[in-house]
Amino acid sequence: MTDPSSSLPDLHHEAAVLASALPYLRRYAGDTIVVKYGGHAMGDPELALTFGRDIALLKLVGINPVVVHGGGPQINQMLKRLDISSTFVDGLRVTDANMVDVIEMVLAGSVNKEVAELISQAGALAVGISGKDGKLITARKLARTVRDPDSQIERVLDLGFVGEPVKVDPRVIYALSGSGLIPVIAPVGLGEDGATYNINADTAAGAVAGAVHATRLLMLTDVPGVLDKDGNLIPELTAEQARQAIADGVITGGMIPKVETCIQAVQAGARAAVIINGRTPHACLLELFTASGSGTLIRAD
């Protein structure tokens, strides 16, 4: 027969963890937290289930989470199934009219509903929408230029129906959150010309976070956060320090646009943005409910 007292240390530890979270639960009660969901965390079934439970937990303890998701691998799989080839210009995919229809179908359809279902199955009610619903995200064609290394002449890249947010109307978010629901947003926007635009999920999440004045923008990535030149995690940066780190070459490659998105979010109204490792189970909870957090926090100057 098992001695009931043998499990007491584990129970005491669990109780201590819950008690230690209380100050943070009070701090964020009623606040809006925008979470950008994608990368490895989205492709791993176990991490996906954990993510759904964690987002449901945030809602059930009185926080208002808003999820913005990506779906690059799923888009690639569908394009391959439909035998639609991609054209790239300087490493950037050109999105034509046929392709944007497929992207909307995948992002605002199957992926969006799967993410909402993960959260709903965990005990909260999530509703999948896209940036086109309620005119949530008004977009324009992304303007991107490249400089010829020989002539130093800049030329404009035509990426087709790739867009960037120009306006976020958060009323549909407020309506859903105020009704006890969790908005799950696919990064597809509507242009003033009536065209549909595919928007980078990081960029969309940053724009949403700024518009709703989120207490935190949590950017789930495949890295621990921003690292210094010795490979050590930088726990916190001001927007100006982040800009300087980019200029000094400390922040390089794919981390640059993520950091720039965080800077734009805090300048647009978000209180802070955090780059965290989505491969770590319960990454969002560790960031919000522990003293040290789990990534790199970027705040306004």
Side-chain angles (χ1 to χ4, degrees):
M1 182 175 180
T2 303
D3 182 1
S5 64
S6 64
S7 62
L8 284 178
D10 290 338
L11 294 175
H12 288 157
H13 175 70
E14 291 179 9
V17 170
L18 291 172
S20 67
L22 179 59
Y24 305 101
L25 294 173
R26 295 176 60 187
R27 175 190 295 179
Y28 294 113
D31 287 355
T32 298
I33 306 294
V34 175
V35 182
K36 186 272 173 171
Y37 177 49
H40 186 82
M42 197 171 184
D44 184 299
E46 286 300 318
L47 286 175
L49 288 173
T50 300
F51 173 81
R53 295 189 191 107
D54 290 352
I55 297 300
L57 175 64
L58 294 181
K59 189 67 176 181
L60 295 173
V61 298
I63 298 169
N64 293 313
V66 177
V67 177
V68 181
H69 64 82
Q74 293 89 334
I75 291 171
N76 290 335
Q77 290 171 9
M78 182 58 72
L79 291 174
K80 185 176 181 179
R81 284 177 57 187
L82 297 176
D83 198 24
I84 298 176
S85 60
S86 298
T87 301
F88 292 85
V89 178
D90 289 339
L92 300 171
R93 191 199 324 251
V94 177
T95 302
D96 61 22
N98 290 332
M99 194 176 295
V100 78
D101 287 343
V102 174
I103 290 171
E104 182 177 16
M105 176 181 68
V106 174
L107 286 180
S110 58
V111 174
N112 185 252
K113 307 315 173 191
E114 286 171 8
V115 176
E117 184 181 3
L118 283 172
I119 299 167
S120 296
Q121 285 183 339
L125 294 177
V127 176
I129 61 175
S130 81
K132 293 170 67 175
D133 293 310
K135 292 187 176 180
L136 172 58
I137 302 177
T138 301
R140 66 185 172 200
K141 188 171 185 175
L142 179 65
R144 186 67 64 88
T145 60
V146 293
R147 185 182 298 274
D148 184 275
D150 297 323
S151 66
Q152 296 300 307
I153 297 175
E154 286 192 343
R155 62 185 180 89
V156 177
L157 296 180
D158 185 356
L159 300 175
F161 293 91
V162 177
E164 60 183 351
V166 292
K167 178 184 177 183
V168 174
D169 184 341
R171 286 180 294 175
V172 67
I173 294 176
Y174 295 148
L176 293 171
S177 294
S179 299
L181 306 173
I182 300 174
V184 177
I185 303 169
V188 177
L190 186 66
E192 293 182 351
D193 56 359
T196 297
Y197 288 97
N198 176 31
I199 302 170
N200 176 273
D202 290 350
T203 305
V208 168
V212 300
H213 300 282
T215 298
R216 290 288 185 273
L217 164 63
L218 304 183
M219 299 274 286
L220 271 61
T221 67
D222 291 340
V223 294
V226 179
L227 307 180
D228 63 21
K229 289 186 175 180
D230 296 323
N232 300 313
L233 179 69
I234 302 174
E236 185 172 332
L237 291 166
T238 65
E240 181 55 38
Q241 288 172 336
R243 292 191 199 93
Q244 191 60 51
I246 294 173
D248 293 343
V250 174
I251 299 173
T252 60
M255 185 58 69
I256 292 176
K258 294 184 183 298
V259 171
E260 289 177 339
T261 291
C262 291
I263 294 172
Q264 292 164 4
V266 299
Q267 290 180 332
R271 191 177 304 172
V274 192
I275 297 173
I276 58 179
N277 191 348
R279 296 177 298 180
T280 301
H282 307 295
C284 294
L285 303 187
L286 290 171
E287 174 56 37
L288 295 174
F289 299 147
T290 62
S292 59
S294 63
T296 299
L297 182 143
I298 298 174
R299 56 181 174 82
D301 299 333

